[in-house]
Amino acid sequence: MKKFLLIAFCATSLTAVAPIVDAAQIRQACLASDRSAATRARCSCIQRVADQALTNSDQKTVAKWFRDPHQAQELKMSQTARDDALWDRYQNFGQMAQAICS
């Protein structure tokens, strides 16, 4: 019984930590970019906007675009409703971030 409780505790602890690990994907990608405007303050602001405008899944996808912008272009050119919806959310996020974080 003790072993079961220990395993259950560890499993719930790991799932509780997972969102924290993924929480700042946009900020981390922003800071890792070679853009001169990518300051800690601006990247943190952009992350706060992303938390409001994008799902965790969206943030994971968008964070990849900092390293490979061509992926964003491919999604933009896609004809699927799912990709179109993500692109719309991304554009909304970009407009909000520009207005708030500039």
Side-chain angles (χ1 to χ4, degrees), residues 66-82:
F66 280 82
R67 290 185 302 276
D68 184 8
H70 183 69
Q71 289 183 13
Q73 184 64 29
E74 287 181 6
L75 183 122
K76 181 181 178 182
M77 301 309 292
S78 172
Q79 298 296 314
T80 69
R82 182 179 180 186

Side-chain angles (χ1 to χ4, degrees), residues 2 8 10 13 15 17 25 30 37 40 45-46 55 67 74 77 83-84 93 102:
K2 287 181 183 180
C10 290
S13 296
T15 57
V17 172
Q25 294 179 81
C30 176
R40 285 190 180 278
C45 179
I46 292 169
T55 66
R67 290 185 302 276
E74 287 181 6
M77 301 309 292
D83 289 347
D84 287 345
F93 155 69
S102 293

Side-chain angles (χ1 to χ4, degrees), residues 4-5 9 11 13 16 20 25 27-28 32 35 42 52 59-60 64 72 86-87 89 93 96:
F4 172 78
L5 291 176
F9 174 75
S13 296
I20 295 169
Q25 294 179 81
R27 183 181 63 82
Q28 291 170 355
R35 294 169 177 91
R42 181 164 289 141
Q52 294 174 14
Q59 290 184 39
K60 184 177 181 179
K64 293 176 185 176
L86 173 55
W87 188 255
R89 291 189 303 274
F93 155 69
M96 288 173 57

Side-chain angles (χ1 to χ4, degrees), residues 18-32 43 47 50-51 55-64 66-67:
I20 295 169
V21 172
D22 291 341
Q25 294 179 81
I26 299 291
R27 183 181 63 82
Q28 291 170 355
C30 176
L31 288 171
C43 291
Q47 179 64 58
D51 290 340
T55 66
N56 286 338
S57 177
D58 291 347
Q59 290 184 39
K60 184 177 181 179
T61 300
V62 170
K64 293 176 185 176
F66 280 82
R67 290 185 302 276

